Amino acid sequence: MIFSFTKTDRMYIAHCKEGGEWQSGVMQDFQNLSMSPAAGVLNYGQGLFEGMKAQRAADGSIVLFRPECNARRMQDGARRLGVPVVPEEMFLDAIHQTVSENSRWVPPMGKGALYVRPLLMGSGEVLGVAPAPEYTFVVYGAPVGPYFKGGLKPISLKISDEFHRAAPGGSGGVKAIGNYAPGMVPSREAKRLGFAEIIYLDAVHHRYVEEVGAANFFCVKDGVVSTPELTGTILPGVTRASVIEIARDMGHEVREEKVDVSYALSADECFCAGTAAVIASIGSIQHGDRAVEYCDGQVGPVTRRIHDTLTAIQQRRIPDERGWTVAVE
Ligand code: PLP
Ligand code: COI
């Protein structure tokens, strides 16, 4: 199974007028949305999304991983884009209903997940550049495999010297839909050259690693785990936050700091982390004419331990001491 769209049975939908309250949402059969061509999201990109996974756990249950973190991140994004905030309880209820009514699509343990995609958008008509008068919140799901082919298998990445993902004061720190289209051409070009994705550098100094297309970046040097600090231009990943805690519990020093590209290139191991990507080991990085290989192109030992621990917690194969997993009835 790969990371691609498959239509499932049911979806959640709710509406809200600007300045009003969210009406209670309903579950309906999966279907197209009907929207005016003047909808705010279509004209000005006033929209946000989230991404989370429902997985089959060792005890047979279906579990979500820290869904409240996604609820809060979508709220931060809504405040940034002038969208009515979806209350956490409503968000979680929508996720639970969507997973529950599509439970036949959750793959067996270890064989993939039901990727759950909440979407929040300005669906009302607006012609001047302004927040839309009406909003729609939708949740649907699709069964998926890993984002990068081969899962943990090391991938090759290319540092972009030409493109940036986000700039200070922009929307890089929230999951705005508009953050993604500008990455498509750079990413397609990197794939044409045989790389799995792009690594973006910061837009000001052009020397600090920011993130990898749709996942956060980590490197390990002399046992110290480093990841770019959250400066507003990097998406605060739920997986990133979890990896930081797991690595600290394993006894690693973990630094959230500016990661200079030369430091990353001199690291012992690099990996990226995200809901879709899980933990993907980075086998090599190309920067200009320079190519660096890590661990002879093999999965590094720290990367492997973090991957194994994270996925074991997510599938309840080891005790979930932090209460990160939530069962769906
Ligand atoms: N960075 C970007 C740009 C992303 O789109 C994602 C995916 O959500 C991540 C990082 C990883 O975040 P998370 O671990 O919450 O999925
Ligand atoms: C996720 O990890 O959930 C993402 O958002 C990646 C995605 C853009 C496919």
Side-chain angles (χ1 to χ4, degrees):
M1 201 172 354
I2 57 166
F3 193 88
S4 64
F5 179 70
T6 303
K7 191 173 126 177
T8 53
D9 302 324
R10 304 275 289 163
M11 64 188 263
Y12 173 97
I13 187 159
H15 301 281
C16 175
K17 295 220 187 300
E18 199 190 13
E21 298 283 312
W22 282 96
Q23 294 167 5
S24 50
V26 293
M27 290 299 297
Q28 60 184 32
D29 287 346
F30 186 92
Q31 59 194 262
N32 291 346
L33 300 174
S34 162
M35 217 178 271
S36 164
V41 65
L42 299 179
N43 292 265
Y44 303 123
Q46 196 194 13
L48 297 151
F49 71 95
E50 267 303 330
M52 49 222 294
K53 280 177 172 171
Q55 301 198 54
R56 189 68 68 177
D59 57 10
S61 60
I62 296 174
V63 293
L64 296 161
F65 185 67
R66 310 185 74 181
E68 69 288 351
C69 297
N70 299 86
R72 290 173 202 154
R73 186 168 65 190
M74 187 169 250
Q75 292 184 337
D76 291 340
R79 288 184 198 102
R80 177 69 184 84
L81 298 193
V83 171
V85 163
V86 174
E88 184 172 323
E89 202 183 321
M90 174 178 163
F91 180 98
L92 296 175
D93 178 54
I95 303 302
H96 278 260
Q97 288 193 62
T98 305
V99 174
S100 169
E101 297 201 18
N102 289 301
S103 60
R104 75 182 182 98
W105 293 97
V106 180
M109 188 176 79
K111 297 271 188 286
L114 180 70
Y115 185 76
V116 184
R117 172 52 63 84
L119 272 180
L120 174 59
M121 63 202 130
S123 46
E125 296 168 328
V126 60
L127 197 55
V129 178
E134 272 180 49
Y135 294 84
T136 302
F137 176 53
V138 168
V139 185
Y140 66 91
V144 298
Y147 194 65
F148 293 114
K149 268 200 302 268
L152 186 58
K153 199 171 136 249
I155 53 174
S156 301
L157 300 177
K158 182 180 185 302
I159 295 177
S160 178
D161 278 318
E162 200 182 345
F163 301 103
H164 292 287
R165 196 191 81 92
S171 60
V174 299
K175 229 163 150 55
I177 59 171
N179 291 345
Y180 292 82
M184 291 175 187
V185 168
S187 166
R188 190 179 59 186
E189 177 61 11
K191 285 175 186 152
R192 198 182 61 78
L193 297 171
F195 299 98
E197 252 304 344
I198 294 274
I199 293 181
Y200 288 102
L201 299 182
D202 79 285
V204 176
H205 308 281
H206 196 67
R207 62 179 277 196
Y208 302 112
V209 175
E210 295 237 299
E211 52 180 308
V212 182
N216 292 111
F217 181 85
F218 284 84
C219 62
V220 187
K221 189 171 179 175
D222 302 326
V224 176
V225 177
S226 301
T227 191
E229 63 186 354
L230 300 176
T231 54
T233 55
I234 294 173
L235 193 80
V238 178
T239 320
R240 175 188 179 280
S242 309
V243 165
I244 290 172
E245 283 196 43
I246 289 170
R248 284 197 177 126
D249 275 9
M250 285 176 174
H252 290 282
E253 181 185 339
V254 180
R255 295 191 199 142
E256 295 182 69
E257 60 187 358
K258 288 197 169 24
V259 177
D260 196 287
V261 64
S262 60
Y263 183 83
L265 292 175
S266 71
D268 304 323
E269 296 177 38
C270 295
F271 62 91
C272 55
T275 299
V278 193
I279 303 290
S281 143
I282 300 174
S284 66
I285 297 180
Q286 172 101 28
H287 186 212
D289 295 337
R290 189 169 169 211
V292 171
E293 194 179 57
Y294 301 95
C295 299
D296 296 323
Q298 304 296 308
V299 180
V302 178
T303 304
R304 184 175 293 282
R305 274 189 73 200
I306 290 174
H307 168 274
D308 291 354
T309 306
L310 175 72
T311 53
I313 296 171
Q314 289 176 331
Q315 296 167 357
R316 291 188 168 172
R317 286 184 280 107
I318 57 173
D320 170 17
E321 282 158 4
R322 299 177 193 81
W324 280 348
T325 57
V326 180
V328 176
E329 300 305 323

